[in-house]
Amino acid sequence: MTNETFVTEFLLLGLARSLTIRLLLFGLFSTAYAITLAGNAIILMLICLDSRLHTPMYFFLSNLACVDICYTSSTVPQMLVNLQSPSKPISLASCAVQMYVFLILATTECFLLAVMAYDRYVAVCHPLHYTSIMNKQVCINLAAASWTSGLILPVAHMVLTWQLPFCGPNLIDHFFCEIPALLKLACTDTYIVEKVTSVGCIFTLLIPIAFIIMTYIFIISSILKIQSVQGQHKAFSTCASHMTVVALFYGTAIYMYMRPESSHSPGQDKIISIFYSIVIPLFNPIIYSLKNKDVKGILERELVRKFYSEEVREPERNLTDSQYKM
């Protein structure tokens, strides 16, 4: 394998070539991006402002919101640029940075979701010892381990991928520097990189999802032992949001990276990538806020307080203006 690289930049073909379709997609994805940023920022703001949300569950939720903001920002701005200027190239360095940032955040989210499953397991199965088990230091260590795993695990793949020679063509049939699309452009055998990717998927996808499934087996078993239907419903509701996010994220990620290479097609890969890089970060704040009474209640109180404070200021402003005129 040679380290010599003949291609100095790539062209991302994006999602469409028709100007009309590109404009429609630009409006759609720019709106989705704005909602994603606003929704996750609101969750972060509420968690920071209200002490009632200073609990392990919301601490991990705030980490997930940070990941989603950065995660979608690693791909969507580049996509929006390409929708406006489809012939604008991206350098090898920029492509490598985008890929690494994307892998960091995707890996971190995988482990964060596993940590959040453990948090729900302790809350449901060991409620009397929850505060002592999930103390502040433990929560910080678990979050730090998730971020550290995200930083370290993609390194081997990145080193091997960017040692591959790219001697043309330089057209990436995707809207960002996605791994499968880039490997198709290599001028040499990519068997080793593909195997490293498979091993990486075992650590970042299969092991965490197996851990999550195991924790939910214990959680469901404990919930079914609860005598009251109301108690069972309350216990299930604390896990419903997380289970929904896990199903969406891991389902699409495993389908993208664990299926045979022969079944990959550019069009299908783009649709799947849109789902886990844009749609899921958009839905996460909606799922957690709409299904969470604490978040909804605090958000409503903040909005009501903001509304009434504006109403109080308005008469004072009018009174001051009238005094000034006199």
Side-chain angles (χ1 to χ4, degrees):
M1 183 179 297
T2 178
N3 290 329
E4 185 179 1
T5 301
F6 301 98
V7 173
T8 59
E9 60 185 21
F10 294 111
L11 286 176
L12 294 165
L13 296 182
L15 298 172
R17 298 190 181 184
S18 169
L19 177 60
T20 302
I21 296 177
R22 284 195 284 111
L23 290 176
L24 288 174
L25 292 176
F26 180 85
L28 176 64
F29 290 128
S30 59
T31 301
Y33 182 49
I35 295 173
T36 300
L37 295 181
N40 285 288
I42 288 172
I43 288 180
L44 284 172
M45 180 190 68
L46 292 177
I47 293 173
C48 291
L49 292 179
D50 200 295
S51 59
R52 287 166 293 186
L53 299 182
H54 293 175
T55 63
M57 183 177 74
Y58 293 106
F59 171 73
F60 296 127
L61 180 56
S62 66
N63 276 268
L64 183 63
C66 288
V67 169
D68 282 341
I69 288 174
C70 300
Y71 185 54
T72 191
S73 296
S74 69
T75 58
V76 176
Q78 180 69 52
M79 186 211 309
L80 296 177
V81 169
N82 289 340
L83 287 172
Q84 289 182 311
S85 306
S87 60
K88 189 172 182 178
I90 179 172
S91 67
L92 260 69
S94 298
C95 192
V97 169
Q98 184 186 57
M99 180 184 290
Y100 184 48
V101 171
F102 179 81
L103 291 174
I104 288 172
L105 298 167
T107 304
T108 301
E109 182 150 353
C110 288
F111 284 97
L112 269 178
L113 291 174
V115 167
M116 293 171 76
Y118 176 71
D119 173 67
R120 293 300 84 206
Y121 161 76
V122 177
V124 174
C125 299
H126 304 282
L128 298 179
H129 303 285
Y130 179 70
T131 54
S132 60
I133 296 175
M134 299 302 293
N135 58 64
K136 183 178 179 180
Q137 189 59 51
V138 168
C139 292
I140 293 174
N141 290 342
L142 289 173
S146 299
W147 285 95
T148 303
S149 299
L151 287 168
I152 294 175
L153 288 178
V155 170
H157 176 83
M158 288 295 299
V159 170
L160 291 174
T161 298
W162 292 101
Q163 284 184 343
L164 295 174
F166 298 97
C167 51
N170 67 337
L171 302 177
I172 301 178
D173 195 1
H174 215 292
F175 60 87
F176 75 101
C177 292
E178 179 76 288
I179 299 169
L182 187 67
L183 291 181
K184 292 177 182 178
L185 303 181
C187 301
T188 187
D189 182 33
T190 60
Y191 176 81
I192 295 177
V193 180
E194 291 171 6
K195 289 303 178 183
V196 170
T197 301
S198 299
V199 173
C201 288
I202 292 174
F203 283 99
T204 59
L205 291 174
L206 296 186
I207 291 178
I209 192 61
F211 175 80
I212 292 171
I213 292 172
M214 182 180 66
T215 59
Y216 273 108
I217 290 174
F218 287 113
I219 288 172
I220 293 171
S221 177
S222 296
I223 291 175
L224 294 177
K225 293 177 183 178
I226 300 175
Q227 299 297 323
S228 67
V229 176
Q230 184 178 2
Q232 289 183 349
H233 177 75
K234 183 178 180 181
F236 270 118
S237 65
T238 61
C239 304
S241 299
H242 181 259
M243 292 172 66
T244 304
V245 172
V246 166
L248 291 172
F249 183 80
Y250 276 96
T252 53
I254 289 174
Y255 182 73
M256 179 67 178
Y257 288 101
M258 299 298 291
R259 75 187 198 272
E261 183 66 26
S262 58
S263 65
H264 282 265
S265 68
Q268 193 178 51
D269 288 354
K270 290 177 189 178
I271 294 173
I272 298 170
S273 297
I274 287 172
F275 201 84
Y276 64 70
S277 64
I278 300 174
V279 177
I280 293 176
L282 170 66
F283 281 170
N284 278 357
I286 298 174
I287 291 170
Y288 278 107
S289 60
L290 291 181
K291 291 190 176 183
N292 192 298
K293 293 181 179 180
D294 294 334
V295 174
K296 285 195 295 184
I298 291 172
L299 179 59
E300 289 171 359
R301 283 191 291 271
E302 290 293 329
L303 291 174
V304 169
R305 186 169 62 181
K306 179 70 174 176
F307 175 76
Y308 279 110
S309 65
E310 290 295 331
E311 280 194 335
V312 170
R313 289 195 195 99
E314 189 62 31
E316 291 178 351
R317 190 181 299 112
N318 293 337
L319 178 60
T320 303
D321 292 343
S322 61
Q323 290 175 338
Y324 180 76
K325 291 177 182 178
M326 290 175 62

